[in-house]
């Protein structure tokens, strides 16, 4: 492990890394070629790219390896103009700020360019941009175009691609790898085209040919789709920047009813990584600090669907039995572990009771899947699963949903930690991404996950230690170098759509994390932020905007923000009117507009590529990941399914096999911990790494270490059950096969007027005070298809002087530490 001094003195050389990134381009044309001239921000480096316009069927791109000065570049353009005088010379086409990619339908190739940009923020001195305008230009010249056989469907494809609005919710950076979290960017030191292979780069397909041909990414920009918002807040007279980033996965991407659940590769619908970055404005000559925390949302990783209907605003949920061994579900959580490390905490917000079984069907099967997967995992890598019906609790006047979710967030953050580091004054922002924060001459920067995890054990009091001058870092002059902290593991939240209820839970998590981030940065003496604090309201506004943005992308309307509206004291009739309008808007878009929107996404991502003589995209059947006949109320026999067309996350639309998924790969049954041992340096995506001559663009991936701390350790210090047998299977027998906690003080959001009104049972217990009452709901069994679930409650008592709750015992602590299925039972 590198010393603290080595960690903060990344380089002694002053290098202008901004000169290695081309940021502004001018496109010129002759009859036979396009010439693109690119320069860096300081106008010291000029490069030239030539694109052939005579071959209508292929893209021929040649980059001049010469680095020109400004005078030399314009002299080259003058000579090109003089040499093409007989055919019209060299003509200026447009100014642009990067190539989005190249695409071909049935005719010529087209080049997509960013013609206007706008700055939306900055991270560590690296500017982040959104697209203000774009342009699609055909590659062949007018003569070649006139000779091509023009398909009548060409314009329809062009119009369809144009419905993907690049000016909305796409963002990029020339020098900061915005497709990766801050921790990944600072903890790895890799370069190359692999940056584009990230699951969050949406133009990977469009730029693939160009990147492979040029062996660099100087001319293209990596577009991330989702949400980016940066606001400036003030705490005790000190300014700080809060940045909220949501990165939507391009794998299995699409719209609400056409992309549900998981595909065979373990990719889930509506998979979004949310990162919250907090940093202070740096003062020249002083060190600056930065912190980030990451959470995840995604569709329930099972094979399930809902058929859109213009007559039914709430279609039935259809669960498939095609994956009895939960291979796809296992692959999904293996992917999460590779990306974030362990533990993986799962917060499931769907309903526990319904008159007509819908959500409860998925709730039962999801619990069964976790139980099945955990049987083959080591203790350290077992999934931590929590049920909380947020809808039920939001309808109770005795429960403060945000307060209860805040407690869950606190427990999760105690396990995973946050990322924090300090940037010393001698480090230039431009070099931030070009030297691994953890690089060591002794081990080549290859740090094991366990070492990173162990660094977090005693780093939570960092802020307090710094104030007292007792930090573990080295003092250099007037600057105290604080000990870095790392996030190991992630909280994954889901409801049905992963929009409305999930966004409320993510805000609660973000608020608790903000308190810890500000405490680490030295802004607060305590890591706790009260819900009445102005900071909480400011952060809620940002999360509300993010929720609306993500809901529009996937669901077709802004999010249902009932809980947020009530928190602000909004007039109830106004809230109801707003919720009703959004429900109608979502219903209309889902039934009428989503098929075309899904086609556009498939075209943009390259999941469908038009070919002459083949069926057109709009002639294909439903894009839904599986279609089943309703020959049973909940489950369907997959053997009688008809062949349908569908879109996979990494291929073209094709016919689906009519057989269930069977685990034939022994590796699928390996514990997650064994998988991590094979790849503890980072998550390898679906494509191999490709070397690049562009050394300035670093490729950063960091897989945090397996934390050995178990979920709810701090909770057990305050209260701990005393029942002897807490672990039961579906028949009431004792077992120790998974970590499944069904706690009713974590409940369903009810943040949507689409949700059915929950009829509270006369035996229900309020969760107003966690110390006074903890209710454990029954977890539905794997075979449960109805909503009749028994409720049993635990009546709490006072906490003893030694911090142990009399109603809890060592058996509960054993479940938390070693795993097991925890189903509700009555305590006396």
């Amino acid at each position: 492990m590198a010393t603290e001094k080595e960690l903060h003195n990344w380089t002694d050389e002053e290098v202008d890394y901004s000169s290695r990134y081309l940021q502004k381009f001018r496109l010129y044309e002759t009859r036979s070629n396009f010439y693109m001239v690119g320069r860096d921000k300081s106008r010291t480096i000029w490069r030239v790219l030539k694109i052939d316009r005579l071959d209508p069927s292929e893209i021929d791109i040649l980059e001049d390896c010469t680095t020109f000065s400004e005078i030399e570049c314009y002299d080259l353009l003058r000579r090109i103009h003089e040499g093409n005088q007989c055919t019209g010379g060299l003509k200026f086409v447009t100014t642009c700020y990067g190539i989005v990619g190249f695409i071909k339908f049935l005719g010529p190739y087209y080049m997509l360019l960013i013609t206007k940009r706008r700055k939306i923020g900055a991270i560590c001195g690296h500017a982040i941009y959104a697209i203000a305008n774009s342009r699609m230009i055909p590659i062949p010249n007018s003569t070649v175009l006139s000779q091509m056989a023009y398909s009548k469907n060409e314009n329809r494809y062009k119009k369809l691609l144009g419905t993907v609005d690049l000016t909305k919710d796409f963002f990029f950076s020339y020098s900061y790898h915005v497709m990766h979290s801050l921790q990944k960017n600072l903890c790895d030191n890799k370069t190359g085209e692999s940056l584009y292979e990230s699951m969050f780069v949406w133009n990977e397909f469009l730029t693939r040919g160009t990147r492979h041909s040029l062996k660099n990414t100087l001319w293209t920009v990596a577009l991330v789709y989702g949400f980016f918002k940066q606001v400036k807040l003030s705490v005790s007279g000190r300014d700080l920047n809060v940045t909220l980033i949501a990165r939507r996965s391009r794998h299995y991407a699409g719209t609400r009813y056409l992309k549900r659940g998981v595909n065979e590769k373990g990719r889930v619908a509506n998979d979004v990584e949310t990162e919250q970055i907090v940093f202070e404005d740096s003062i020249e000559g002083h060190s600056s600090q930065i912190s980030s925390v990451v959470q995840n949302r995604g569709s329930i990783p099972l094979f399930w669907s809902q058929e859109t209907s213009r007559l039914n605003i709430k279609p039935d949920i259809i669960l498939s039995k095609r994956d009895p061994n939960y291979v796809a579900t296992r692959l999904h959580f293996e992917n999460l572990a590779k990306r974030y490390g362990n533990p993986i905490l799962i917060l499931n917000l769907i309903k526990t009771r319904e008159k007509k079984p819908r959500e409860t069907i998925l709730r039962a099967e999801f619990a069964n899947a976790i139980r099945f997967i955990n049987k083959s995992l080591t203790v350290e890598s077992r999934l931590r699963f929590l049920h909380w019906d947020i809808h039920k609790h939001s309808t109770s006047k005795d429960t403060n949903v945000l307060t209860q979710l805040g407690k869950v967030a606190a427990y999760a953050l105690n396990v995973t930690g946050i990322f924090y580091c300090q940037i010393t004054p001698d480090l230039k922002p431009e070099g931030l991404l070009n030297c691994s924060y953890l690089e060591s001459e002794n081990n080549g920067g290859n740090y094991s996950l366990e070492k990173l995890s162990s660094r977090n054990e005693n780093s939570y009091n960092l802020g307090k230690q710094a104030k007292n001058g007792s930090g573990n870092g080295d003092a250099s002059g007037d600057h105290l170098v604080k000990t870095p902290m790392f996030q190991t593991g992630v909280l994954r939240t889901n409801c049905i759509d992963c929009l409305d209820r999930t966004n409320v839970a993510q805000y609660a998590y973000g608020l608790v994390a903000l308190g810890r981030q500000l405490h680490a940065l030295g802004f607060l003496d305590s890591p706790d932020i009260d819900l009445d604090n102005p900071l909480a309201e400011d952060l809620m506004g940002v999360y509300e905007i993010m929720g609306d943005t993500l809901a529009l992308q996937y669901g077709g309307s802004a999010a249902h923000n009932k809980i947020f509206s009530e928190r602000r004291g909004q007039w109830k009739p106004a809230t109801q009117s707003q919720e009703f309008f959004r429900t109608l808007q979502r219903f209309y878009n889902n039934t009428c507009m989503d098929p075309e929107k899904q086609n556009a996404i498939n075209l943009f991502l390259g999941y469908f590529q038009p070919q002459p003589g083949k069926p057109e995209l709009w002639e294909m059947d439903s894009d839904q990941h599986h279609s089943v006949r309703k020959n049973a109320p909940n489950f369907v026999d997959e053997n009688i399914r008809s062949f349908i067309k569908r879109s996979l996350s990494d291929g073209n639309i094709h016919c689906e096999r009519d057989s269930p998924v069977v685990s034939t790969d022994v590796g699928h049954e390996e514990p997650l911990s064994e998988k991590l041992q094979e790849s503890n340096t980072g998550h390898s995506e679906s494509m191999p790494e490709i070397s690049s001559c562009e050394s300035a663009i670093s490729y950063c991936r960091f897989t945090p270490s397996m934390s050995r701390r178990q979920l709810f350790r701090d909770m057990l210090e305050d209260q701990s059950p005393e029942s002897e047998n807490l672990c039961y299977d579906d028949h009431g027998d004792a077992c120790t096969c998974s970590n499944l906690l069904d706690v009713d003080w974590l409940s369903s959001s009810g943040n949507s007027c689409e949700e059915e009104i929950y009829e509270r049972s006369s035996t229900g217990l309020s969760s107003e005070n966690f110390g006074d009452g903890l209710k454990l709901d029954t977890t539905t069994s794997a075979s449960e298809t109805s909503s009749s679930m028994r409720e049993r409650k635990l009546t709490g008592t006072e906490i003893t002087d030694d911090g142990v709750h009399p109603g809890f015992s060592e058996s509960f602590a054993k479940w938390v530490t070693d795993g097991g299925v925890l189903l509700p039972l009555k305590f006396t």
Side-chain angles (χ1 to χ4, degrees):
M1 178 66 71
T3 64
E4 297 299 329
K5 187 173 183 179
E6 288 172 330
L7 290 176
H8 296 279
N9 292 278
W10 299 339
T11 178
D12 295 329
E13 300 179 2
E14 293 187 5
V15 181
D16 185 10
Y17 290 98
S18 63
S19 65
R20 302 186 183 185
Y21 302 97
L22 303 182
Q23 297 194 21
K24 192 171 184 179
F25 308 85
R26 291 175 66 87
L27 183 67
Y28 300 87
E29 67 174 353
T30 65
R31 183 178 178 278
S32 57
N33 294 293
F34 277 120
Y35 292 92
M36 181 172 285
V37 177
R39 65 168 175 84
D40 65 341
K41 186 177 182 180
S42 61
R43 305 177 69 97
T44 58
I45 293 179
W46 297 71
R47 302 288 294 270
V48 177
L49 187 71
K50 183 174 74 172
I51 305 172
D52 181 75
R53 304 186 67 195
L54 300 179
D55 189 345
S57 60
E58 297 293 336
I59 286 288
D60 186 7
I61 302 178
L62 178 64
E63 180 183 26
D64 194 325
C65 60
T66 305
T67 299
F68 299 93
S69 66
E70 184 172 3
I71 296 176
E72 292 171 339
C73 185
Y74 280 103
D75 181 63
L76 173 64
L77 295 177
R78 179 183 57 80
R79 287 186 277 113
I80 294 174
H81 175 69
E82 293 173 352
N84 289 271
Q85 285 284 10
C86 60
T87 56
L90 184 70
K91 300 177 182 179
F92 172 74
V93 179
T94 185
T95 298
C96 58
Y97 297 91
I99 299 176
V100 174
F102 296 84
I103 192 169
K104 175 182 173 67
F105 307 123
L106 298 171
Y109 272 94
Y110 299 88
M111 177 168 53
L112 282 71
L113 301 175
I114 299 172
T115 54
K116 288 185 180 180
R117 68 184 183 186
R118 56 187 177 88
K119 185 177 178 180
I120 56 177
I123 300 175
C124 300
H126 299 261
I128 312 297
Y129 297 96
I131 300 175
N133 201 1
S134 62
R135 183 175 174 183
M136 185 166 65
I137 300 174
I139 297 298
N141 61 44
S142 57
T143 302
V144 176
L145 284 175
S146 64
Q147 297 173 353
M148 296 182 64
Y150 205 78
S151 170
K152 64 179 182 179
N153 292 320
E154 184 76 10
N155 283 334
R156 186 168 180 178
Y157 278 117
K158 290 171 61 178
K159 183 179 179 180
L160 183 62
L161 186 70
T163 61
V164 179
D165 191 350
L166 296 179
T167 64
K168 289 185 178 180
D169 309 327
F170 284 93
F171 50 95
F172 67 95
S173 176
Y174 299 104
S175 55
Y176 181 80
H177 307 146
V178 72
M179 74 288 293
H180 291 160
S181 67
L182 177 70
Q183 180 167 312
K184 285 187 177 182
N185 280 329
L186 294 183
C187 292
D188 280 344
N189 188 25
K190 298 181 180 179
T191 61
E193 296 177 55
S194 302
L195 290 171
Y196 281 74
E197 293 156 19
S198 165
M199 62 190 293
F200 302 118
V201 176
W202 272 57
N203 60 333
E204 186 278 332
F205 166 75
L206 297 177
T207 60
R208 188 183 302 167
T210 305
R211 291 181 287 108
H212 290 185
S213 175
L214 299 179
K215 305 300 182 185
N216 67 51
T217 57
L218 281 173
W219 304 91
T220 59
V221 295
L223 296 183
V224 178
Y225 184 48
F227 176 80
F228 185 98
K229 181 74 173 179
Q230 191 168 80
V231 296
K232 188 178 291 290
L233 303 178
S234 179
V235 179
S236 302
R238 297 172 59 187
D239 292 334
L240 63 97
N241 296 282
V242 176
T243 305
L244 191 62
I245 306 174
R247 306 175 179 92
R248 181 177 293 281
S249 171
R250 62 181 167 87
H251 298 306
Y252 205 47
T255 57
R256 185 185 182 198
Y257 286 133
L258 296 178
K259 293 295 179 183
R260 288 293 212 194
V262 69
N263 68 5
E264 282 116 345
K265 293 194 174 182
R267 307 294 188 179
V268 296
N270 199 19
D271 189 348
V272 180
E273 175 185 273
T274 302
E275 181 179 20
Q276 181 174 293
I277 303 176
V278 180
F279 62 94
E280 60 181 341
D281 291 325
S282 60
I283 302 175
E284 186 176 356
H286 292 76
S287 61
S288 60
Q289 305 173 88
I290 190 166
S291 173
S292 76
V293 66
V294 172
Q295 54 181 319
N296 177 266
R297 71 171 74 183
S299 188
I300 295 175
L302 300 170
F303 288 99
W304 62 282
S305 67
Q306 285 179 282
E307 298 288 346
T308 56
S309 170
R310 299 189 179 185
L311 302 177
N312 185 3
I313 199 170
K314 298 184 68 176
D316 291 337
I317 291 177
I318 305 171
L319 180 63
S320 169
K321 295 189 300 183
R322 61 190 309 217
D323 191 8
N325 293 324
Y326 304 106
V327 175
T329 308
R330 181 189 301 274
L331 288 175
H332 172 68
F333 287 114
E334 286 179 350
N335 179 269
L336 283 180
K338 289 178 180 178
R339 284 158 55 188
Y340 305 110
N342 279 320
I344 303 299
L345 313 178
I346 305 161
L347 178 56
N348 184 29
L349 301 173
I350 62 179
K351 294 180 180 179
T352 57
R353 307 186 103 193
E354 295 172 297
K355 289 183 177 179
K356 179 182 179 181
R358 295 179 66 256
E359 296 186 11
T360 50
I361 300 170
L362 291 178
R363 183 179 185 272
E365 189 68 4
F366 195 14
N368 192 50
I370 300 301
R371 180 183 296 107
F372 183 89
I373 293 172
N374 274 346
K375 288 180 180 180
S376 62
L377 300 182
T378 62
V379 173
E380 294 84 359
S381 57
R382 283 177 182 165
L383 305 172
R384 310 292 176 179
F385 193 31
L386 298 93
H387 283 303
W388 196 55
D389 185 349
I390 189 174
H391 172 69
K392 180 175 65 176
H393 286 283
S394 67
T395 60
S396 171
K397 296 181 179 180
D398 298 326
T399 304
N400 187 318
V401 170
L402 293 177
T403 298
Q404 301 302 328
L405 286 173
K407 294 178 180 180
V408 178
Y411 301 140
L413 286 165
N414 286 343
V415 175
T416 65
I418 63 172
F419 176 71
Y420 165 87
C421 72
Q422 187 176 23
I423 303 175
T424 52
D426 59 342
L427 178 68
K428 302 296 183 182
E430 292 82 1
L432 187 63
L433 301 180
N434 295 277
C435 294
S436 171
Y437 186 79
L438 296 177
E439 188 173 4
S440 170
E441 295 179 359
N442 297 330
N443 58 14
N446 183 15
Y447 284 83
S448 70
L449 306 181
E450 293 182 358
K451 288 183 179 180
L452 286 180
S453 177
S454 64
R455 295 183 61 88
N456 285 330
E457 295 297 330
N458 298 316
S459 59
Y460 180 68
N461 293 324
L462 178 146
K464 182 177 180 181
Q465 294 173 350
K467 286 179 176 291
N468 298 333
S470 59
N472 294 331
D474 298 329
S476 177
D478 296 332
H479 311 289
L480 177 67
V481 179
K482 298 180 182 179
T483 304
M485 297 188 290
F486 303 94
Q487 178 177 346
T488 58
V490 73
L491 175 65
R492 182 197 193 275
T493 306
N494 73 266
C495 50
I496 291 297
D497 298 322
C498 301
L499 297 176
D500 314 319
R501 290 173 281 183
T502 295
N503 201 63
V504 173
Q506 289 208 329
Y507 160 67
Y509 181 89
L511 181 62
V512 176
L514 179 63
R516 302 196 178 200
Q517 290 175 296
L518 295 179
H519 180 58
L521 268 62
F523 280 79
L524 298 178
D525 294 330
S526 168
D528 300 321
I529 297 179
D530 190 83
L531 286 171
D532 296 325
N533 191 307
L535 285 174
E537 184 175 355
D538 293 337
L539 189 67
M540 183 174 68
V542 180
Y543 271 86
E544 187 172 5
I545 297 173
M546 181 186 74
D548 289 341
T549 301
L550 297 179
L552 280 167
Q553 294 168 6
Y554 181 69
S557 77
H560 293 284
N561 294 315
K562 178 182 177 182
I563 290 178
F564 291 155
S565 299
E566 291 177 349
R567 181 68 192 171
R568 286 193 300 267
Q570 184 172 310
W571 188 39
K572 188 174 182 180
T575 301
Q576 293 173 338
S577 175
Q578 173 182 277
E579 298 296 284
F580 178 71
F581 172 76
R582 291 181 176 180
T583 297
L584 294 181
Q585 182 185 17
R586 187 173 293 186
F587 175 67
Y588 171 77
N589 282 323
N590 293 161
T591 55
C592 301
M593 307 301 294
D594 279 359
E596 181 177 353
K597 184 177 179 180
Q598 184 68 60
N599 287 341
I601 292 173
N602 290 337
L603 194 64
F604 185 86
L605 295 176
Y607 298 158
F608 178 87
Q609 301 173 37
Q611 298 179 17
K614 301 292 184 180
E616 306 300 345
L617 179 57
W618 45 85
E619 297 173 352
M620 310 295 283
D621 292 336
S622 171
D623 188 73
Q624 206 163 348
H625 76 79
H626 72 284
S627 178
V628 292
R629 297 181 183 177
K630 301 179 181 180
N631 62 342
N634 304 320
F635 297 96
V636 181
D637 185 358
E638 290 296 315
N639 293 326
I640 64 172
R641 289 192 303 113
S642 60
F643 285 86
I644 64 168
K645 309 291 190 303
R646 75 183 192 114
S647 171
L648 285 178
S649 64
D650 61 342
N652 299 335
I653 293 181
H654 64 287
C655 291
E656 181 185 359
R657 294 178 303 174
D658 193 35
S659 59
V661 176
V662 179
S663 177
T664 57
D665 185 355
V666 178
H668 291 169
E669 298 297 324
E670 293 180 5
L672 290 175
S673 58
E674 295 179 11
K675 296 274 187 180
L676 287 173
Q677 291 173 2
E678 297 174 4
S679 177
N680 64 353
T681 58
H683 170 219
S684 60
E685 295 284 353
S686 58
M687 296 183 62
E689 289 191 16
I690 302 173
S691 61
S692 169
C693 61
E694 184 185 1
S695 59
I697 299 183
S698 64
Y699 166 56
C700 307
R701 296 185 186 275
F702 168 66
T703 305
S705 112
M706 264 188 257
S707 173
R708 302 191 65 86
R709 293 175 294 166
Q710 303 302 323
L711 183 61
F712 291 168
R713 168 176 295 181
D714 292 342
M715 181 180 102
L716 292 175
E717 293 176 358
D718 295 331
Q719 38 193 329
S720 187
E722 293 241 316
S723 172
E724 292 301 326
N725 296 313
L726 289 182
C727 183
Y728 289 85
D729 62 13
D730 298 325
H731 306 289
D733 299 326
C735 63
T736 58
C737 53
S738 81
N739 282 10
L740 186 140
L741 176 63
D742 193 2
V743 286
D744 194 36
W745 51 271
L746 301 172
S747 135
S748 151
S749 132
N751 199 36
S752 167
C753 65
E754 294 181 68
E755 298 300 327
E756 298 177 355
I757 298 176
Y758 177 77
E759 296 183 0
R760 289 191 296 164
S761 169
S762 60
T763 60
L765 178 66
S766 168
S767 314
E768 182 178 9
N769 190 328
F770 177 73
D772 294 335
L774 173 66
K775 181 172 62 177
L776 301 178
D777 285 338
T778 59
T779 300
T780 55
S781 66
S783 60
E784 180 178 359
T785 58
S786 69
S787 60
S788 60
M789 290 181 288
R790 300 178 301 276
E791 284 194 22
R792 304 179 183 182
K793 66 180 181 178
L794 166 67
T795 303
T797 54
E798 297 298 326
I799 299 175
T800 59
D801 294 338
D802 59 0
V804 178
H805 194 289
F808 292 63
S809 73
E810 293 182 357
S811 57
F812 184 83
K814 186 177 186 301
W815 167 81
V816 173
T817 304
D818 300 329
V821 178
L822 181 62
L823 298 182
L825 53 155
K826 185 177 293 184
F827 299 99
T828 58

